[in-house]
Amino acid sequence: MSRQARRFKDATYQLIAEVGRAVTSPRRLELLELLAQGPRTVEAIAQHSGQSVANTSQHLQVLRAARLVEVEREGVRMRYRLADARVTEFCLALRRLAEARAEELGALTRDFLADRGLLEAVDQEELLGRVARGEVLVIDVRPVEEYQAGHIPGARSVPLAELQGRLAELPKRSPIVAYCRGPYCVLAIEAVSRLRALGFRADRLEAGVPDWSARGLPLETGLITRAGGAR
Amino acid sequence: MSRQARRFKDATYQLIAEVGRAVTSPRRLELLELLAQGPRTVEAIAQHSGQSVANTSQHLQVLRAARLVEVEREGVRMRYRLADARVTEFCLALRRLAEARAEELGALTRDFLADRGLLEAVDQEELLGRVARGEVLVIDVRPVEEYQAGHIPGARSVPLAELQGRLAELPKRSPIVAYCRGPYCVLAIEAVSRLRALGFRADRLEAGVPDWSARGLPLETGLITRAGGAR
DNA sequence: AGCTTATTCAAGCATTCACTTGAATGCTAG
DNA sequence: CTAGCATTCAAGTGAATGCTTGAATAAGCT
């Protein structure tokens, strides 16, 4: 191989790897998954991921350098968002590959969920039908902002943080399905766990909004569905 | 978030990132792309990538730990292969993401190719038809073993190394299309460059075998198509 | 202008990584 | 069973990475 060709090849793989490396840090993966829920400010991201603001900022710089996220000034703060849908798709692809490879990942999830008796996640195809027929109340337990940025049609926003105080809005007898950010997000697990302890018939939808939209399924945005709907 | 949930989350992202990290080294990317062409021994891989055998072996260990490649003893040597097709698909996805993100990559390729006037790559859809109609001779310029492991239907094996001595087999007037391992492989570029210098009507197919099969297009294996076909 | 606040930069430290070199392993063939 | 060879392991070095702390920017508000 000519020297020129070798240099070309090296440079090429270098560039590809740079994108890959940005995605290849547990911390940054978490940030990306968080941003897949919707735009956030640095402070919000830092708080959510339990990291220092400076550290979070640095990770965001790395992601930005790889053009995986974009940033926009909003008054006194900076709002980060994913650069485009391909990034989400890529993250999902990576996760799928990891699942296929690492048996441990599946085992880990099963252990964690089995501990709490939350294994049975509701099938997505089935869900839409049940929602449409009013047989089930779907609640979105993520923070309100994420709900507003996009949610499963017909879902009602009941952030986990507010769950305790809004139990009166929930049906005692008919089933409830909770969802959050995806299979590795613990909000819905937590919510279902609490609801069951209180006697509700609650189940968990494994898919989150990113999975949902990646399947080409529709999303609603904006409006808040308050009590009264499927109750 | 509960301490338990945080540990769960950390462990999860850690596992995903481990797979990611394996893919995220320029060197290992090159190895994967090479293995996508077919199984190889350590020595062959080392020689091809211009690395020391020990270093290559170590990279292969990393890939093996991530279950991206498998190894099999064959007499006195070890033969490595990709674990399954998903790995190939993932590499292609990464490359596409990288292309979309890094404008530089496109620029780099363009520069390199423009230097040699090899910009126009032949469209894949069009190609099959032209091959079927016998309007064009497709040559596979990779080493014979890779050709045997799988090639584009109707293509003739003319390894770059043998090109010089086999010019008599090639048509002087009707067009020739050369392909190799993919857009970043330089074999076809080299081949077309030489052929043109000699007055042949040669073009380059940008896609390689991995791209080809990833699109669900058929591959032939084994047989060697010798002179006489589309000449 | 001057002050406040969110974010970023810079320096420093411990850890990890890539590659080299030289020796050890494990297999086959004679 | 032993010689020979492909491959792997182990130790060492220089560079890169992740995280922390403390200071510097930049925009908005008074």
Side-chain angles (χ1 to χ4, degrees):
Chain A
M1 191 180 308
S2 76
R3 181 179 320 242
Q4 186 187 17
R6 171 53 45 212
R7 271 215 314 276
F8 168 67
K9 206 166 189 178
D10 285 347
T12 300
Y13 285 117
Q14 186 61 44
L15 277 172
I16 298 178
E18 266 165 31
V19 173
R21 211 189 33 218
V23 188
T24 290
S25 139
R27 225 42 111 174
R28 287 195 285 268
L29 270 176
E30 187 176 355
L31 298 191
L32 285 174
E33 195 140 312
L34 184 57
L35 286 174
Q37 310 299 324
R40 298 289 189 95
T41 64
V42 175
E43 186 163 24
I45 297 168
Q47 185 172 11
H48 185 96
S49 65
Q51 294 302 294
S52 73
V53 171
N55 193 24
T56 302
S57 174
Q58 276 175 126
H59 280 303
L60 288 168
Q61 302 300 316
V62 174
L63 292 173
R64 196 152 74 99
R67 318 227 185 155
L68 297 172
V69 305
E70 290 168 350
V71 65
E72 189 183 25
R73 182 168 280 279
E74 183 178 293
V76 68
R77 49 191 72 188
M78 306 295 272
R79 183 169 291 268
Y80 279 83
R81 71 184 71 246
L82 291 191
D84 78 35
R86 258 170 303 195
V87 179
T88 311
E89 279 168 33
F90 179 79
C91 291
L92 288 175
L94 173 59
R95 201 162 72 184
R96 276 193 293 267
L97 180 64
E99 277 170 13
R101 300 288 118 241
E103 263 308 300
E104 307 117 88
L105 212 171
L108 190 70
T109 309
R110 273 196 301 280
D111 285 355
F112 183 75
L113 298 184
D115 274 359
R116 305 176 158 222
L118 298 174
L119 251 180
E120 345 65 60
V122 173
D123 183 57
Q124 311 193 28
E125 322 302 334
E126 203 190 319
L127 180 65
L128 261 183
R130 289 209 271 168
V131 176
R133 295 193 297 275
E135 294 169 12
V136 64
L137 172 66
V138 180
I139 62 176
D140 181 324
V141 297
R142 300 174 302 161
V144 177
E145 314 86 59
E146 295 181 18
Y147 174 87
Q148 286 173 328
H151 57 265
I152 293 178
R156 187 189 302 177
S157 172
V158 183
L160 183 59
E162 301 175 17
L163 184 62
Q164 219 59 253
R166 292 177 56 183
L167 293 170
E169 296 176 24
L170 303 177
K172 253 303 189 187
R173 288 186 312 199
S174 64
I176 302 172
V177 169
Y179 76 91
C180 50
R181 296 169 182 141
Y184 305 122
C185 172
V186 293
L187 293 177
I189 291 173
E190 202 59 47
V192 170
S193 184
R194 288 194 208 163
L195 286 174
R196 286 189 181 174
L198 295 167
F200 288 89
R201 292 176 53 195
D203 281 305
R204 175 175 155 268
L205 177 66
E206 188 169 324
V209 163
D211 308 79
W212 190 270
S213 65
R215 289 195 182 199
L217 293 168
L219 283 181
E220 265 179 11
T221 53
L223 71 152
I224 300 254
T225 310
R226 278 270 162 196
R231 200 209 294 224
Chain B
M1 192 181 308
S2 75
R3 179 178 321 238
Q4 187 187 16
R6 177 37 66 202
R7 271 214 315 276
F8 168 68
K9 207 166 187 176
D10 285 348
T12 301
Y13 285 118
Q14 185 61 43
L15 276 172
I16 298 177
E18 267 166 31
V19 173
R21 198 177 57 83
V23 187
T24 291
S25 136
R27 223 45 107 173
R28 286 194 286 270
L29 270 177
E30 187 176 357
L31 299 192
L32 285 174
E33 195 140 314
L34 184 56
L35 286 174
Q37 309 300 324
R40 297 291 188 94
T41 63
V42 175
E43 186 164 24
I45 298 168
Q47 184 172 14
H48 184 98
S49 65
Q51 294 301 295
S52 72
V53 171
N55 194 25
T56 302
S57 173
Q58 276 173 128
H59 280 302
L60 287 168
Q61 303 299 315
V62 174
L63 292 173
R64 196 151 74 97
R67 319 225 186 157
L68 297 172
V69 306
E70 291 168 350
V71 67
E72 189 184 22
R73 182 167 281 279
E74 183 178 292
V76 68
R77 49 192 71 187
M78 306 294 274
R79 183 169 291 268
Y80 279 82
R81 71 185 68 247
L82 291 191
D84 77 35
R86 258 173 301 196
V87 179
T88 310
E89 279 168 33
F90 179 80
C91 291
L92 288 175
L94 172 59
R95 199 162 74 185
R96 276 194 291 267
L97 180 63
E99 277 170 12
R101 298 291 116 237
E103 263 307 302
E104 307 116 87
L105 211 171
L108 190 69
T109 309
R110 271 195 302 279
D111 286 355
F112 183 75
L113 298 184
D115 272 0
R116 306 175 156 222
L118 298 173
L119 250 180
E120 346 65 61
V122 172
D123 183 56
Q124 312 194 27
E125 322 301 336
E126 204 189 320
L127 179 64
L128 260 184
R130 289 208 271 166
V131 177
R133 294 191 297 274
E135 295 171 11
V136 64
L137 171 66
V138 180
I139 63 175
D140 181 324
V141 297
R142 301 173 301 161
V144 177
E145 314 87 61
E146 295 181 18
Y147 174 88
Q148 285 172 329
H151 57 263
I152 294 179
R156 185 190 304 176
S157 172
V158 183
L160 183 57
E162 301 176 18
L163 183 62
Q164 219 60 253
R166 293 177 56 185
L167 293 170
E169 298 176 25
L170 302 177
K172 253 302 190 190
R173 289 187 311 199
S174 65
I176 301 172
V177 168
Y179 76 90
C180 50
R181 296 169 181 140
Y184 305 123
C185 171
V186 291
L187 293 177
I189 292 174
E190 201 59 46
V192 170
S193 182
R194 290 194 206 162
L195 286 174
R196 286 189 181 174
L198 295 165
F200 289 89
R201 291 176 52 196
D203 281 306
R204 174 175 156 267
L205 177 65
E206 188 169 323
V209 164
D211 309 79
W212 189 271
S213 65
R215 288 195 183 198
L217 294 168
L219 283 183
E220 264 178 11
T221 53
L223 71 152
I224 301 253
T225 310
R226 279 268 162 197
R231 200 210 292 220

